[in-house]
Amino acid sequence: MTPPTPYYLIDERKLLGNLETIDHLRRRSGAKCVLALKCFAAWVVFPLMRRFMDGSTSSSLYEVRLGREKFGKEVHAFSVAWKRDEVRALRPLADKIIFNSLSQLDALEREARGLSIGLRVNPGVSFSHFDLADPARRHSRLGVRGRRALFAAAPRLDGVMFHYNCENDDFVHFRDTLDRIARDYAPLLEQLDWVSLGGGFHFTRPGYPVDAFADTLRRFADRFGVQVYLEPGEAAVTGAAELVTTVLDVVHNETDIAIVDASTEAHMLDLLIYRQSARIEAAGRGRCVVTIAGRSCLAGDVFGAYRFPRKLRPGDTVRFADAAGYTLVKKNWFNGLPMPAIVVRRLNGALRTVRRFGYADYLRSLS
Ligand SMILES: Cc1ncc(COP(=O)(O)O)c(C=O)c1O
C-alpha cells in the first residue's frame, strides 16, 4: 500500500545496480568508497548500502553523527569551517577529520587528537557544468591553494582530500587531471597514508569505463603508497528514487499547464537552483504538450514541459525521476505544503511507507 501523494519512492533494486558497480570498483581498484551524506541521507536504506560501501563522509557535526549512528563503518568528518566544540563532540564519533584550511588546522589540530588528520586541497583544476558548483572557481574558499605552505604542513597530515569534480562523466578528463595532481603534489602525496579524491564521478552511468577508472586509481595508489578514497554521492543513488505526485488542476495560458500536489521549490529544489527540468520517464514524443508546474506561490515553480500521448487530467499520476541525490536532503516547508512521505520498495518488491510528515512537523520546524 502506498500513502496518498506526494511521496518519494526509493527503490532498493535500482539502488543495488549502482552499489554493485561501486563494489566492483572497490575490488578492482582497492579504493574505498564512503557515501557523501550531503547528497543522500535517507538512512532507511543504509543497511543495504553499507554492504557495498566503506562508510560515510559529512559536511557537519549532524552528518557525522548520522553516519556513526546509522551507517557505521568509517566516518569521515569534513566541514568548510568547524567550531571548537563541534570538533570536541565529533572526536568519539569520527575516524578522520578533514580541515578546509591551514588556519583551521592550526587552531583545531590539538582538539582533534586521536583522529586521523586530513586537509582539503584545491588543485586549481575542476570539472563542473556550473560555476555555482565549481570548487576551483575564482575566489573559491574550498581547500588550500598555495603549495609551499601545504608541503610544509605535510608532517602534520595523514591524508588530503581533493574534491574537484561535479557530475564528471568524462573519464579522459579525470585521468588527465589526476596525472596533473600527481605531478604537482608528488612531494606531499609521498608522505601520506591516504588520499581522498572526493565525489562527482559519474562512474555508475551506463557506458562509463569503470575498469579503466579502477586501474587508474590503483596505479595512483601504488605509486604513492596511499589508500585512495572516493566520496560518491550522486553516483551511489542515481536513478534510485522518484517523486510521485497527482495532477490537481489543468489550466490554460497559451499552453496546457498541469498543476501537481508538489513543488519544485519545496520538494526538488535543485531544479530551480540549476535551472533544469525534471525528468519524467513516461513522457516522450506524444501529441499533447503540457507544462507541469508545482502548487507553490512561486510564478516559476515549473517542473518542465513534456509530450504525452493524451492530455493530462486531474487525478493523473506524474512521477518525476532522479529524486534521490540532493533532493530528499533539501526538502523544505515553503508555503506550508504537505511534505512528501518516504516510501521504500524493498529488494523483494514489498512497498513500505517509512515516514509520513504532518502538521506537527511543520509546526516544530519553526517557533
Ligand atoms: C567534499 C565533497 N565530497 C563528495 C561530494 C559528493 O559529490 P557527488 O554527489 O557529485 O558525487 C561533494 C559534493 O559536493 C563534496 O563537496
Side-chain angles (χ1 to χ4, degrees), residues 131-159:
D131 183 56
L132 185 65
D134 182 353
R137 77 208 286 249
R138 192 156 179 238
H139 304 312
S140 171
R141 72 199 187 297
L142 302 173
V144 178
R145 274 308 303 269
R147 274 187 284 167
R148 190 180 305 172
L150 180 63
F151 289 3
R156 296 154 66 194
L157 301 176
D158 300 299

Side-chain angles (χ1 to χ4, degrees), residues 36 38-39 57 78 120 161 163 165-167 198-202 231-235 326:
K38 74 185 71 185
C39 170
T57 187
F78 170 74
R120 180 168 179 169
M161 186 260 277
H163 170 74
N165 288 281
C166 183
E167 304 208 358
F201 304 106
H202 269 217
E231 305 178 358
E234 191 63 55
Y326 302 99

Side-chain angles (χ1 to χ4, degrees), residues 35-319:
L35 176 67
L37 296 178
K38 74 185 71 185
C39 170
F40 184 80
W43 42 271
V44 64
V45 290
F46 284 0
L48 173 67
M49 301 185 84
R50 142 169 87 226
R51 284 167 37 203
F52 302 89
M53 299 185 76
D54 299 283
S56 64
T57 187
S58 55
S59 332
S60 65
L61 177 60
Y62 287 174
E63 284 189 354
V64 169
R65 192 169 159 189
L66 185 77
R68 172 54 65 218
E69 288 178 5
K70 296 292 185 187
F71 204 104
K73 303 179 98 173
E74 268 192 57
V75 176
H76 294 200
F78 170 74
S79 169
V80 171
W82 289 112
K83 291 183 176 180
R84 182 171 298 278
D85 61 337
E86 290 173 339
V87 175
R88 212 171 291 145
L90 69 80
R91 221 170 42 211
L93 305 173
D95 300 287
K96 295 181 171 52
I97 186 166
I98 302 167
F99 294 108
N100 184 58
S101 67
L102 285 162
S103 39
Q104 280 249 303
L105 176 72
D106 290 342
L108 298 169
E109 187 179 17
R110 274 172 57 82
E111 206 67 72
R113 63 190 173 279
L115 298 176
S116 182
I117 304 274
L119 192 60
R120 180 168 179 169
V121 179
N122 177 345
V125 290
S126 60
F127 184 101
S128 176
H129 303 289
F130 302 97
D131 183 56
L132 185 65
D134 182 353
R137 77 208 286 249
R138 192 156 179 238
H139 304 312
S140 171
R141 72 199 187 297
L142 302 173
V144 178
R145 274 308 303 269
R147 274 187 284 167
R148 190 180 305 172
L150 180 63
F151 289 3
R156 296 154 66 194
L157 301 176
D158 300 299
V160 290
M161 186 260 277
F162 299 88
H163 170 74
Y164 62 108
N165 288 281
C166 183
E167 304 208 358
N168 187 352
D169 53 5
D170 179 343
F171 168 70
V172 173
H173 181 278
F174 159 71
R175 196 191 50 203
D176 292 350
T177 45
L178 192 66
D179 281 348
R180 186 165 155 186
I181 286 173
R183 199 179 57 233
D184 290 353
Y185 294 94
L188 170 69
L189 300 173
E190 280 157 3
Q191 300 180 58
L192 301 174
D193 298 332
W194 54 267
V195 174
S196 172
L197 298 174
F201 304 106
H202 269 217
F203 62 94
T204 53
R205 285 235 174 116
Y208 191 90
V210 181
D211 287 353
F213 183 48
D215 295 345
T216 307
L217 295 175
R218 186 172 280 285
R219 274 196 300 277
F220 181 88
D222 290 347
R223 173 170 169 198
F224 295 110
V226 290
Q227 172 63 56
V228 167
Y229 286 87
L230 297 181
E231 305 178 358
E234 191 63 55
V237 298
T238 188
E242 297 176 314
L243 174 62
V244 184
T245 65
T246 301
V247 175
L248 298 179
D249 192 13
V250 180
V251 296
H252 193 85
N253 183 358
E254 293 182 38
T255 183
D256 279 345
I257 305 157
I259 301 170
V260 296
D261 57 355
S263 155
T264 55
E265 184 156 30
H267 309 135
M268 287 192 110
L269 184 59
D270 266 10
L271 297 178
L272 288 186
I273 295 177
Y274 293 105
R275 297 167 185 271
Q276 291 176 320
S277 292
R279 198 164 60 80
I280 298 180
E281 277 170 13
R285 297 177 186 281
R287 284 184 306 115
C288 299
V289 177
V290 59
T291 293
I292 300 183
R295 67 155 153 164
S296 78
C297 63
L298 183 75
D301 185 358
V302 173
F303 286 92
Y306 308 88
R307 287 181 172 277
F308 293 100
R310 66 160 178 81
K311 283 175 178 280
L312 289 187
R313 292 188 282 263
D316 284 343
T317 300
V318 176
R319 311 172 84 92

Side-chain angles (χ1 to χ4, degrees), residues 4-40:
T5 61
Y7 59 88
Y8 296 102
L9 173 60
I10 307 170
D11 190 326
E12 284 194 333
R13 281 182 286 195
K14 292 183 181 162
L15 200 52
L16 184 62
N18 298 329
L19 295 171
E20 283 171 342
T21 304
I22 289 176
D23 202 32
H24 173 72
L25 179 81
R26 290 158 79 216
R27 287 171 199 276
R28 188 171 171 117
S29 67
K32 292 187 176 180
C33 290
V34 290
L35 176 67
L37 296 178
K38 74 185 71 185
C39 170
F40 184 80

